[in-house]
Amino acid sequence: MDYLPLFHNLKGRRVVVVGGGEIALRKVRLVQEASALITIIAKDFCVDLLAMAASDEAAGCNGLELITASYEHRLLLQYPDTVLVIAATNYRALNRTVSEHAQAANILSNVVDDPGFSTVIFPSIVDRSPIQVAISSGGDAPVLVRLLRTRFESLLPAGMAKLGALAGRFRERVKDKFSNGADRKAFWEEVFYGAVAEQAYANNLEEAERLLVDKLEHSDRFETGEVYLVGGGPGDPDLLTFKALRLMQQADIVLYDRLVSPQVLNLVRRDATRIYVGKTAGDHPVTQDNINQKLVDYALEGNRVVRLKGGDPFIFGRGGEEIETLAEHGIPFQVVPGITAASGCASYAGIPLTHRDHAQSVRFITGHMRGGKRDLNWPELVLPNQTLVFYMGLSGLETICQGLITHGLDETTPAALIEKGTTEAQQVLVGDLSSLPDIVRQAGPKAPTLIIVGHVVSLQSKLSWFNNPANRIEGTINKNNES
Ligand code: SAH
């Protein structure tokens, strides 16, 4: 190990920075966050440093002092209380001299971009104070460090800072209650993986604290689980949200339906029990009431239950009905939005849902037949300058296209059907209201499919970017096609 990572308490301690430009500014911001007393020596200062010094003075902090001078050894000697020197000028030789002076006085020194002349180096930081992750390659691979930092940024929920602070406040009380280290560890693990953490991440701090106190006072009492209604997106696992992934990876039980892609399902915690509650067309193996009841039962047994749905749970997903039942039983739940099929399919097919020249609004419509009848509000659907997106419309495609024409849309209005959007098997069938039913009949796509109607579809041939172009099947070239 070339460097030992330590976390330096700089509160009220002096840091001398030599240099007044952008590089110095970045370091000054960092040490200022750590509440250091900062002295900057430079011939001149960038505007941001001047502004920082002015606002520090206005606030009466006396934490930031600017010395306008060329660096000389005697200037450093004037500050015998210095614990860290940062050399951040544009001059390598000068930086090294500063570092030598610091080291001669046994002061920690950092030379920006010159680790060989530094006794300490700055790591890349993911800050969820009091939780911090510091990453370093010892100066060997800064770009790799930056990539890693991005990963950690996405891994650590923004609310982790609040959870960390809450844990800090209860540390002593928990210690008093559990003298045995193993019990204490088990307690904290439950806190950090369970409802307390989730409430803190959701910014419900009072509820998080109430649950923590409750858990502490009744640590032997049986706990109710929680249900997370999670949107799994249209298929491509990269379209999951960070929150969806985190909850999927800590679930005890996952109830999923047909639209959840195998790649998404694969990201569920390995030990979790997976239960299929999907419906296939015309066949309802698990009724909605039954699913609602299962969610309640599993949660009452103390499980963390993920109800994983395709797309977004609140768009044609019956998400509302499922959480209503949970609410009636007083079971804590959260809803995690997902990318709905309309957004996912449109993006991956190259069809902007709105466009200044073509459509100022977009409608999401269910094409599902209720009792064999499609009671759509045709006059509204044929209004100009809008895009129509039909979910569950494959079996009714012909009726939909015919209905739109009958009620006034031109039969040359561009229309597309997207099969298995955002997945490797995505196919885009393009035509117009009169031709699309035939094109679809010939291609014989399988569910799930989405229908988009409107002039924005004419942009598809130009804007398509995903998957092999061979997957695009075009019917008649309609008059509105721009390319
Ligand atoms: N809650 C889901 C929609 C559920 S309704 C969402 O927000 O996306 C089911 C319908 O969604 C399907 O019949 C189909 O029209 C559409 N759909 C879902 N995923 C799709 C996909 N990958 N490609 C095409 N259509 C999809």
Side-chain angles (χ1 to χ4, degrees), residues 234 259 310-312 315-316 340-341 345 391-392 418 420-421 448-450:
L259 280 176
D312 182 284
I315 295 183
F316 304 130
T340 189
C345 295
Y391 288 68
M392 299 169 274
I418 299 140
K420 300 194 173 76
T449 65
L450 192 84

Side-chain angles (χ1 to χ4, degrees), residues 152-435:
F152 280 109
E153 286 284 5
S154 59
L155 265 178
L156 305 183
M160 188 160 269
K162 286 164 184 147
L163 180 62
L166 179 67
R169 278 193 281 123
F170 279 84
R171 203 174 145 202
E172 287 307 317
R173 269 178 73 179
V174 173
K175 222 172 176 175
D176 290 346
K177 167 108 190 192
F178 303 102
S179 49
N180 177 327
D183 291 346
R184 211 155 55 224
K185 180 165 165 273
F187 176 84
W188 281 123
E189 275 176 1
E190 279 178 27
V191 166
F192 295 141
Y193 272 111
V196 176
E198 285 310 322
Q199 291 298 332
Y201 296 158
N203 209 19
N204 297 330
L205 296 180
E206 277 178 24
E207 180 62 7
E209 179 159 345
R210 192 191 66 73
L211 287 173
L212 179 57
V213 172
D214 191 57
K215 198 172 170 56
L216 196 57
E217 285 171 3
H218 311 280
S219 53
D220 45 350
R221 195 175 64 192
F222 178 76
E223 258 187 76
T224 308
E226 243 195 311
V227 177
Y228 313 119
L229 186 57
V230 175
D236 181 351
D238 276 358
L239 295 179
L240 280 174
T241 60
F242 294 142
K243 186 165 182 179
L245 185 62
R246 178 166 55 77
L247 294 174
M248 283 160 65
Q249 290 190 343
Q250 64 186 44
D252 299 311
I253 298 183
V254 177
L255 283 83
Y256 66 100
D257 50 35
R258 188 170 51 95
L259 280 176
V260 175
S261 75
Q263 291 85 347
V264 168
L265 196 60
N266 225 351
L267 295 171
V268 160
R269 188 168 72 97
R270 226 170 272 269
D271 304 339
T273 308
R274 297 161 196 213
I275 301 170
Y276 177 71
V277 291
K279 309 172 191 95
T280 41
D283 160 37
H284 290 232
V286 188
T287 63
Q288 189 62 49
D289 283 347
N290 201 329
I291 295 174
N292 298 353
Q293 194 54 47
K294 271 187 195 311
L295 291 175
V296 171
D297 292 346
Y298 289 133
L300 288 177
E301 283 166 17
N303 294 296
R304 282 164 300 184
V305 186
V306 163
R307 171 69 174 112
L308 188 56
K309 298 178 98 63
D312 182 284
F314 276 5
I315 295 183
F316 304 130
R318 297 200 171 182
E321 298 167 38
E322 293 180 7
I323 56 176
E324 247 174 72
T325 320
L326 296 170
E328 281 160 16
H329 286 79
I331 291 167
F333 61 85
Q334 292 192 48
V335 184
V336 183
I339 297 212
T340 189
S343 290
C345 295
S347 297
Y348 277 51
I351 302 173
L353 290 176
T354 66
H355 187 286
R356 281 195 298 171
D357 298 335
H358 301 283
Q360 280 70 50
S361 68
V362 54
R363 272 171 199 268
F364 295 173
I365 308 139
T366 166
H368 188 64
M369 299 221 254
R370 204 188 296 152
K373 239 185 95 221
R374 195 164 282 100
D375 43 4
L376 296 175
N377 187 341
W378 298 106
E380 284 194 0
L381 299 188
V382 299
L383 292 175
N385 302 324
Q386 66 176 344
T387 304
L388 307 176
V389 181
F390 290 92
Y391 288 68
M392 299 169 274
L394 181 59
S395 65
L397 176 67
E398 198 152 350
T399 321
I400 291 170
C401 289
Q402 198 48 54
L404 291 173
I405 295 171
T406 308
H407 288 84
L409 273 194
D410 198 305
E411 63 176 16
T412 62
T413 307
L417 179 137
I418 299 140
E419 173 187 7
K420 300 194 173 76
T422 81
T423 71
E424 279 173 15
Q426 170 175 302
Q427 286 221 50
V428 183
L429 308 178
V430 186
D432 58 29
L433 284 180
S434 70
S435 65

